[in-house]
Amino acid sequence: MTANILVVTSRYYSHIAAELEAGLVEALEAGGASAEFLEVTGAFELPGAISMASALGEYDGYVALGGVIRGETSHYDVICNEVARGLMTLSLAGVPLAFGVLTCENEEQALARADRTRKNKGAEVAAAVLRMVELSRHFNDIEAE
């Protein structure tokens, strides 16, 4: 499928984000899609950046990528919930996107999920966004009839 995907990546845990991106890019390219990249500081900024970009209408789909690792305070819960809520709000508004934000108890869990030789969540997110682009195109075609 030919599709141009905007990948918005939180760089807070840059080593985890880099591995997620590598798995994502491999899968997108295998699926015939291209990717452009935008970096934000932390996960909290992901929904806002995708909202701004989607308003331009230049991309076929969007990926929110990064990680949140539990710490000593309730900050983890607030960030995870608000990022998920923000991305779900965009999705329900018709923005074709995929949630690639790892929410883990510790760094070991995050690394296992990001690693392309283990769980390869980057590749899973690529499949999800390509499917959402397909669905978006399908329903846009029906609406145009």
Side-chain angles (χ1 to χ4, degrees):
M1 166 199 308
T2 302
N4 188 24
I5 307 300
L6 179 65
V7 180
V8 182
T9 305
S10 163
R11 288 285 169 206
Y12 194 81
Y13 295 103
S14 60
H15 60 298
I16 293 166
E19 189 65 14
L20 284 168
E21 278 183 343
L24 175 86
V25 168
E26 288 173 358
L28 287 176
E29 288 176 352
S34 62
E36 293 184 37
F37 296 89
L38 177 66
E39 293 182 3
V40 294
T41 304
F44 189 78
E45 292 78 29
L46 291 166
I50 291 173
S51 178
M52 287 182 253
S54 69
L56 299 174
E58 294 183 14
Y59 301 96
D60 300 304
Y62 304 85
V63 171
L65 212 58
V68 183
I69 298 174
R70 186 177 298 280
E72 298 174 357
T73 69
S74 61
H75 182 74
Y76 169 88
D77 297 309
V78 171
I79 295 299
C80 292
N81 290 333
E82 292 304 313
V83 170
R85 184 190 58 79
L87 293 173
M88 180 56 75
T89 299
L90 290 169
S91 181
L92 292 174
V95 176
L97 65 84
F99 187 95
V101 181
L102 302 179
T103 55
C104 300
E105 296 296 316
N106 54 55
E107 187 173 1
E108 182 181 319
Q109 288 179 351
L111 290 170
R113 284 158 178 75
D115 190 327
R116 288 172 285 159
T117 63
R118 294 163 76 188
K119 297 196 180 215
N120 198 4
K121 294 297 181 180
E124 288 182 22
V125 172
V129 74
L130 292 178
R131 179 63 180 141
M132 293 306 290
V133 168
E134 283 180 344
L135 289 172
S136 177
R137 288 176 177 172
H138 171 76
F139 290 116
N140 285 335
D141 287 347
I142 290 173
E143 184 177 81
E145 292 177 358

